[in-house]
Amino acid sequence: MNRIPMPNPIAEMDGDEMTRVLWADIKRELLEPFVALNTEYYDLGLPHRDETDDAVTTAAAEAIRRLHVGVKCATITPNAQRVEEYGLKKMWRSPNGTIRAILDGTVFRTPIPTPGLRPYIPGWTKPVTVARHSYGDLYKDTEFRIQGPGKAELVFTAADGTVRRETIYDFEGPGVLQGCFNKDSSIENFARSCFEYALGEKKDLWFSAKDTIMKIYDGQFKETFQRLYDQEYRPRFEAAGITYFYSLIDDAVARLIRSEGGIVWALKNYDGDVMSDMISTAFGSLAMMTSVLVSADGNYEYEAAHGTVTRHYYRYLRGEKTSTNPVATIFAWSGALRKRGELDGGGALCAFADDLEKAVMDTIARGVVTGDLAGLLESRPEPVDSAGFLSAVRAELEKKYA
Ligand code: NAP
Ligand code: MG
């Protein structure tokens, strides 16, 4: 058959362990037979990051900025044990952290509703998207222990030498201390990517923080969202029939539990980290969630929300069959191919992305599922291994692309 052409490339970032195995299987079974894949390949597998002194990660992030679309496999963030396991030159930083810092954007995570699986919150009939700011705050903090009495101060020395100083606390004994920051430009990028994403998805946008306590810090986030909404986005939201609304984060969790879902929930970096695991679990599994990093200047990086599934990989290395769920990784590819198609005005690639996702959902609806889902479904189907799942999806696809 004639494969679907792909005139412009996307940045392809390979990764580690079980997801690296699935990566190659997905390409061979579900992509290459149907699409004339056009990618710039970056091997972010830990051995190659080590070989290149992690330069490959930066090169990959720059490729996303140049090509506007990237797809990334899960990667190991090394700790001391990994340094030993892989004989690394050093404990390289998290590739996701490096890429996020270069793209300066927002990570959107949306559960993929599993046919036959009731969310833990029965009222949530529509998936909730978490929009997590992925710059600064606690993830770039400075912290230390205080060994004994003394005064902690917050000091800012302006470029012109002016000093501003405020007492944080007069310690009468030992304790801990932490400082963190964010930038107006990054907060504004965050707000813009949330407004644009909500418009694209035609979903209401909520932003939640705690500006009653952090009047200046969280206040800056709240004020930025409100200003951009009032000055720029309100007419487009009204035309799309959606709303923007701010609420305190504790009020928002209560409202969300009572809601039917279906919103985009914008959250600061830490809040988004915590809440996205709660949302994904409520809808089933980390392996049933899409994740895309969107930068305000229009770059998109698609990935799975889960890690490299190390425990399954060690079983795979022992020659055992694994029942690792490839859905989030397949949806990373379909998301990237659809976006490439949209940017290039090419309908066939977008249609293929839709068909691929439909083939996955039809396969699950037939009860062909991996172990993680089999245990959650009321029908208790017998799980298939990863290869069995992929070949069932391929059979669905071939019905259409024979
Ligand atoms: P993980 O890879 O997400 O796996 C944790 C557990 O969740 C697995 O052992 C498995 O449970 C279940 N699971 C996750 N994905 C699954 C899938 N697709 N199918 C079936 N079950 C799945 O997290 P981890 O074990 O904490 O981390 C492993 C490595 O991944 C670490 O080196 C970490 O640095 C890296 N990591 C990378 C990313 C990323 O690149 N985006 C994100 C997180 C972690 P059972 O074993 O009970 O079946
Ligand atoms: Mg987390």
Side-chain angles (χ1 to χ4, degrees):
M1 79 170 249
N2 287 332
R3 295 190 301 166
I4 296 161
M6 204 176 146
N8 293 309
I10 60 175
E12 171 185 353
M13 289 155 278
D14 209 342
D16 289 298
E17 300 194 312
M18 205 58 228
T19 41
R20 187 181 181 95
V21 175
L22 292 175
W23 194 260
D25 292 346
I26 290 168
K27 284 174 68 178
R28 193 189 59 247
E29 290 294 315
L30 302 181
L31 303 175
E32 281 160 350
F34 308 99
V35 177
L37 267 193
N38 181 359
T39 72
E40 264 185 33
Y41 179 84
Y42 295 86
D43 183 0
L44 300 197
L46 189 49
H48 192 240
R49 272 183 276 150
D50 195 51
E51 254 168 63
T52 60
D53 293 334
D54 209 21
V56 65
T57 307
T58 307
E62 278 158 5
I64 302 171
R65 297 190 63 175
R66 182 162 36 82
L67 305 173
H68 309 302
V69 185
V71 60
K72 180 180 169 292
C73 180
T75 45
I76 293 170
T77 298
N79 54 17
Q81 182 257 320
R82 298 295 200 167
V83 172
E84 191 165 319
E85 180 183 356
Y86 283 82
L88 300 179
K89 295 181 207 159
K90 67 184 250 199
M91 204 187 292
W92 304 109
R93 298 174 71 92
S94 151
N96 293 321
T98 303
I99 294 169
R100 283 171 198 165
I102 292 172
L103 296 182
D104 184 5
T106 305
V107 176
F108 295 90
R109 291 197 162 162
T110 309
I112 306 163
T114 307
L117 194 149
R118 252 167 46 119
Y120 284 101
I121 315 264
W124 285 358
T125 53
K126 300 175 187 165
V128 174
T129 298
V130 169
R132 171 184 170 188
H133 186 207
S134 31
Y135 182 82
D137 296 354
L138 304 178
Y139 300 82
K140 289 275 182 197
D141 74 343
T142 305
E143 51 176 35
F144 51 77
R145 259 196 71 67
I146 306 293
Q147 301 298 351
K151 182 156 78 165
E153 293 175 300
L154 195 57
V155 181
F156 176 72
T157 312
D160 68 3
T162 329
V163 172
R164 174 162 178 200
R165 178 186 296 271
E166 281 184 40
T167 301
I168 298 171
Y169 192 66
D170 269 314
F171 280 89
E172 62 284 348
V176 284
L177 192 62
Q178 175 182 50
C180 64
F181 73 96
N182 223 301
K183 299 192 298 188
D184 284 5
S185 60
S186 182
I187 297 170
E188 186 158 328
N189 282 347
F190 168 48
R192 280 186 194 284
S193 28
C194 292
F195 285 124
E196 293 291 345
Y197 187 90
L199 281 165
E201 298 288 311
K202 295 215 174 5
K203 288 180 178 172
D204 289 346
L205 174 67
W206 298 10
F207 171 62
S208 312
K210 192 74 178 177
D211 68 299
T212 44
I213 302 298
M214 287 161 278
K215 292 184 179 12
I216 294 178
Y217 200 106
D218 283 21
Q220 185 64 33
F221 282 79
K222 176 185 176 184
E223 184 277 325
T224 303
F225 271 82
Q226 197 60 52
R227 175 171 50 77
L228 289 177
Y229 185 65
D230 292 340
Q231 290 178 357
E232 290 179 38
Y233 287 98
R234 189 187 293 274
R236 289 173 65 194
F237 266 57
E238 284 172 0
I242 56 174
T243 56
Y244 163 70
F245 124 100
Y246 170 80
S247 80
L248 285 169
I249 187 159
D250 33 6
D251 179 41
V253 294
R255 280 172 191 264
L256 191 62
I257 294 285
R258 291 193 302 263
S259 81
E260 56 171 13
I263 61 147
V264 179
W265 193 17
L267 293 164
K268 289 170 56 196
N269 210 344
Y270 174 78
D271 299 336
D273 187 357
V274 176
M275 290 303 168
S276 66
D277 282 41
M278 193 267 287
I279 299 286
S280 64
T281 306
F283 281 94
S285 151
L286 260 190
M288 295 298 290
M289 185 166 218
T290 62
S291 180
V292 56
L293 170 65
V294 181
S295 75
D297 49 352
N299 301 310
Y300 299 80
E301 184 212 25
Y302 294 83
E303 55 164 12
H306 58 77
T308 59
V309 211
T310 311
R311 293 205 326 194
H312 294 210
Y313 182 61
Y314 291 153
R315 266 183 254 150
Y316 166 86
L317 288 181
R318 290 197 298 268
E320 294 168 31
K321 289 199 166 178
T322 66
S323 187
T324 317
N325 188 340
V327 171
T329 307
I330 298 173
F331 273 63
W333 274 100
S334 57
L337 294 179
R338 181 185 295 107
K339 183 55 72 180
R340 181 76 279 166
E342 280 170 21
L343 295 179
D344 298 348
L349 210 49
C350 298
F352 175 76
D354 294 346
D355 292 334
L356 176 56
E357 290 177 3
K358 182 166 184 305
V360 168
M361 299 322 287
D362 288 350
T363 301
I364 295 174
R366 282 200 291 121
V368 180
V369 293
T370 45
D372 55 323
L373 293 184
L376 295 172
L377 291 171
E378 268 167 42
S379 53
R380 298 287 147 163
E382 197 56 41
V384 294
D385 62 10
S386 305
F389 184 79
L390 290 176
S391 59
V393 175
R394 175 156 178 177
E396 285 291 336
L397 259 184
E398 279 173 346
K399 285 186 197 163
K400 176 131 194 185
Y401 290 85

